[in-house]
Amino acid sequence: MTNHSETTGSAENGDITGPTRPDRAARTSCDSPGGEPQVTLRTPAELADALPYLLGYRPEDSIVLVALRDRDGRGRFGGRARLGIPANEEDWTSAAGQLVHGLVTGSERRGARPEQMVAYLCQEPPRGESGRQVMERLRPLAQKLRVECGALDVPVVEALCISDGRFWSYCCDDETCCPSEGVPMGLPGTSVLAAAATYAGIQVRGSLRELRARLLPWENSAAREQEAALDSAGMTIVSRLLDDARSADVAEETLALAERIMRRLADAPPVSGMPAEDLRDDRLLGHDEAAALILGLQDRTTRDRAAAWMEGDEAGPALRLWRALARRCVGPYGEHAAAPLTLAGWVAWSTGDELEAREALAMALGADPDYLFARLLHQACNEGLDPESVRRCLRAERAGGGSAGTGAPDDEERAGGPARRATAEDPTAPQTPPARRRRTRSGTVVDDSARRRARAQGHERGMKVVRPRNPAGGARPDGTRPSRTRPRASGRETTAGRGTRPADARTGEPGSGGE
């Protein structure tokens, strides 16, 4: 699980009445033609039921904070922040501080400092443990959240633990409303709030685990066939990408193939349910086609040109294609997923689906923590910025027939592509710190970008490549068997399996992140 914080939902989607006590009424608003009807939340049970509608999904193994602030004499829901519960209890203090400080400072930057907090701890019991035991085990974590919030003068008015279909309050010891055995959660979709949310068009999209499954690489019998196709394609495509005279042809072939498959996906009959949709798309994409696209998109210029399929009738088929390609980055090709995952995150963000955007971009950083385009988009999405500045760059380059990744002075600029240029033109966009400078043993200061350029001599600019492997299971020319370890190239960025995923405390309203 990616362990980083997020904020979700609009900061203007709810009202809270009552200043401090957790049993005071809470009202969430939903627009209607005749005005703004209110749904009143009066009890911890109703606050527990509201959580999926505040986030847009059911959180799992998560710490969630929901900010409350005053507006026009009434409290309102503010930003929401989520962080995975660290498995090691020694990390709880830093996790609580990261989440609380991230949400409070992010809200302050937007002029809406939280005045109160509601905290949730969501975790299903492992084998041999009950929901109540989970609640007791997490009690110190709830206390750390309250201490961190109190240190910033933002009191926690309610802290709930949700586990095994029940909830417990850490703030209420009244057995009549919060018994020690917990209170059963209501059936999903049966509350007044669920009805109001449905009327307002708010959807709960299952759990993050279900959303992530659409983007994870295959682990089925077809994965071996896809890996073999990637091995075979790499023998020719990588050498062509490294040849200045032939790399442009690879780019055009990659984009033309992507357009053909997008038309194929657009013409496919609709099916019901995310698993069925993904299975349909997988059947429409051949192993060799997927391999050619995955390898071709490792070139930054080609990827940036593909990012222009971001709106209108092109966006839907493009998003489905990028998801399908991410699922094909199997075995040792896991780091190749950074390109299609970043494209999936970008298209989702461009079309207004911040939840999938945050998850896809977080997974891209998990595949390659140094992937600058994903890092810039992820930060911008977390900061709640408008993606229109990036869209303007891509539209201009598409209209002018230019390629989005050219003309930059160094690797960092090229790798960032349109997101870097949008940051430069938008003073409200997040700023990426300059390249780090390292001191050599002789005392000379050297820029990281210069070091990368020196390592990449002879390689195409703006490209992420790997040396081709022998076909899966095949023998080398000398008759020996290849090892399962894939060699790294000496290029600007190589594709090996770095699986760590970054922690990100950039929160605030109405920004976002992923699980």
Side-chain angles (χ1 to χ4, degrees):
M1 178 185 68
T2 311
N3 190 22
H4 66 277
S5 57
E6 66 182 38
T7 62
T8 45
S10 168
E12 304 299 329
N13 70 343
D15 297 328
I16 303 290
T17 65
T20 56
R21 291 177 54 83
D23 57 345
R24 298 292 291 270
R27 294 180 179 176
T28 61
S29 63
C30 58
D31 297 330
S32 71
E36 191 182 63
Q38 305 291 320
V39 177
T40 302
L41 309 179
R42 300 183 182 277
T43 66
E46 290 169 335
L47 283 174
D49 179 72
L51 180 58
Y53 301 98
L54 294 174
L55 296 179
Y57 61 90
R58 297 191 303 273
E60 302 168 313
D61 197 26
S62 299
I63 312 166
V64 179
L65 287 179
V66 178
L68 310 179
R69 60 189 179 86
D70 180 76
R71 180 172 177 178
D72 301 327
R74 294 184 300 180
R76 297 183 68 90
F77 286 124
R80 298 81 148 131
R82 191 208 66 83
L83 188 71
I85 298 176
N88 190 340
E89 294 185 19
E90 295 178 356
D91 297 328
W92 286 2
T93 299
S94 60
Q98 175 187 356
L99 192 62
V100 172
H101 286 259
L103 179 55
V104 172
T105 57
S107 299
E108 286 176 335
R109 286 197 301 270
R110 290 160 182 79
R113 190 180 194 275
E115 298 177 357
Q116 302 166 345
M117 291 282 190
V118 176
Y120 299 85
L121 299 178
C122 308
Q123 189 175 75
E124 289 304 298
R127 185 182 299 275
E129 193 174 29
S130 66
R132 175 167 181 173
Q133 288 172 318
V134 171
M135 181 271 294
E136 293 294 349
R137 176 167 52 79
L138 296 180
R139 186 182 292 275
L141 177 55
Q143 182 60 23
K144 292 179 188 299
L145 289 169
R146 297 174 74 177
V147 169
E148 291 290 342
C149 288
L152 296 178
D153 198 25
V154 183
V156 175
V157 298
E158 181 60 276
L160 300 175
C161 177
I162 300 175
S163 180
D164 198 23
R166 292 176 173 266
F167 77 87
W168 289 260
S169 171
Y170 292 114
C171 297
C172 178
D173 56 4
D174 186 348
E175 285 286 328
T176 59
C177 64
C178 299
S180 58
E181 66 273 14
V183 178
M185 297 286 293
L187 292 175
T190 60
S191 66
V192 174
L193 178 60
T198 301
Y199 181 79
I202 300 173
Q203 296 181 349
V204 176
R205 300 175 56 187
S207 66
L208 284 184
R209 181 181 293 113
E210 294 167 339
L211 181 61
R212 191 180 304 115
R214 311 192 76 178
L215 304 169
L216 287 172
W218 284 348
E219 293 184 353
N220 53 23
S221 58
R224 182 67 176 176
E225 299 175 23
Q226 183 61 66
E227 184 179 337
L230 285 161
D231 288 343
S232 178
M235 301 296 287
T236 56
I237 292 178
V238 171
S239 62
R240 294 177 66 202
L241 283 172
L242 295 175
D243 184 344
D244 289 344
R246 297 188 294 168
S247 60
D249 292 336
V250 176
E252 296 303 325
E253 292 166 9
T254 300
L255 295 170
L257 175 59
E259 288 183 311
R260 289 198 301 272
I261 296 174
M262 286 168 55
R263 288 193 294 269
R264 191 186 306 166
L265 295 174
D267 293 338
V271 294
S272 178
M274 291 191 301
E277 290 175 354
D278 295 339
L279 181 61
R280 172 203 58 197
D281 293 346
D282 288 338
R283 290 171 174 169
L284 294 172
L285 179 62
H287 294 311
D288 293 338
E289 293 173 325
L293 289 174
I294 290 169
L295 294 170
L297 289 172
Q298 304 310 304
D299 174 63
R300 304 289 195 248
T301 301
T302 306
R303 177 210 63 196
D304 288 351
R305 292 174 62 186
W309 298 320
M310 60 191 173
E311 55 193 344
D313 293 337
E314 294 175 329
L319 179 56
R320 290 163 57 188
L321 175 58
W322 308 144
R323 288 187 195 128
L325 293 179
R327 295 193 292 269
R328 303 295 186 101
C329 294
V330 297
Y333 291 91
E335 192 171 346
H336 285 71
L341 285 170
T342 301
L343 289 170
W346 159 239
V347 176
W349 185 35
S350 178
T351 55
D353 188 350
E354 292 186 2
L355 176 58
E356 181 166 0
R358 289 190 299 271
E359 189 63 20
L361 293 171
M363 293 175 70
L365 291 172
D368 183 353
D370 297 326
Y371 205 73
L372 185 60
F373 192 28
R375 192 156 24 109
L376 290 170
L377 290 174
H378 185 249
Q379 183 177 353
C381 189
N382 276 349
E383 295 287 343
L385 301 181
D386 189 343
E388 178 59 23
S389 57
V390 183
R391 284 195 293 259
R392 283 197 300 268
C393 290
L394 290 169
R395 291 191 199 106
E397 286 160 353
R398 188 176 187 180
S403 56
T406 59
D410 61 22
D411 295 340
E412 289 289 330
E413 176 71 21
R414 267 188 299 273
R420 168 74 78 174
R421 287 186 291 283
T423 299
E425 73 176 34
D426 184 355
T428 67
Q431 301 297 315
T432 298
R436 293 171 294 176
R437 301 170 68 86
R438 298 178 181 174
R439 187 171 298 277
T440 65
R441 290 184 180 180
S442 64
T444 305
V445 175
V446 181
D447 285 342
D448 276 2
S449 58
R451 294 166 65 93
R452 282 192 294 273
R453 282 195 294 273
R455 289 198 303 269
Q457 286 181 353
H459 285 223
E460 158 128 330
R461 295 189 170 193
M463 188 186 309
K464 176 183 178 182
V465 297
V466 236
R467 296 296 185 189
R469 305 188 323 142
N470 291 311
R476 296 189 179 94
D478 60 4
T480 61
R481 305 294 293 181
S483 70
R484 295 300 297 165
T485 302
R486 189 157 56 105
R488 299 174 70 91
S490 60
R492 299 183 182 278
E493 294 187 42
T494 59
T495 52
R498 288 173 294 188
T500 57
R501 299 186 178 182
D504 188 347
R506 304 181 189 95
T507 57
E509 42 181 312
S512 60
E515 182 175 17

